[in-house]
Amino acid sequence: MLPDQEFLRIVDATPLVSIDLVLRNVRGEVLLGRRLNRPAKDSWFVPGGRIRKNERVKEALRRISARELGVLIEAAELVGVFDHIYEDNFLGVAGVNTHYVVLGFAAHLPEGVVLTPDDQHGELRWWSVAEVMARACHAH
């Protein structure tokens, strides 16, 4: 972990590379979590997180799923590469935006799997695809 001010300089100067997990249950619903932290605070969003320096994508997928959901996802299908650009940052410092280059991965979770939200999510909820599309994934 970097000190906050050093990481803020990185956020200000470069895009961050991250993984988003588009997870579906047996009913085809999509899992979203209500974010407690910046950026995108108070938005419903798919689970995900930054890829660490020298961490392979598959390792990041396992770490992020275990940390954010309490479930180990070993394999997922790459569905695309996306940009998320926010006007704020993790510290809320004025004038510094956040740019993520996101690798979107899709996977199905089996019936009865128990999910455990981490400290970044107030709650987890399954949404129909129509609900997700209507709210454009960045729902308030």
Side-chain angles (χ1 to χ4, degrees), residues 61-83:
L61 180 68
R62 287 191 297 255
R63 175 184 55 79
I64 292 165
S65 64
R67 182 180 190 283
E68 294 213 0
L69 305 170
V71 173
L72 188 64
I73 296 176
E74 295 280 354
E77 179 184 346
L78 180 66
V79 294
V81 178
F82 308 92
D83 290 292

Side-chain angles (χ1 to χ4, degrees), residues 21-76:
L21 300 170
V22 181
L23 303 174
R24 290 191 176 195
N25 62 19
V26 295
R27 292 175 299 285
E29 297 167 319
V30 177
L31 183 69
L32 299 181
R34 189 177 53 79
R35 288 181 54 90
L36 297 175
N37 57 334
R38 290 183 164 130
K41 183 177 180 179
D42 295 324
S43 296
W44 287 91
F45 206 85
V46 295
R50 291 186 312 272
I51 298 172
R52 296 176 178 163
K53 171 86 172 160
N54 297 323
E55 182 178 43
R56 305 235 183 249
V57 171
K58 191 166 188 162
E59 293 166 353
L61 180 68
R62 287 191 297 255
R63 175 184 55 79
I64 292 165
S65 64
R67 182 180 190 283
E68 294 213 0
L69 305 170
V71 173
L72 188 64
I73 296 176
E74 295 280 354

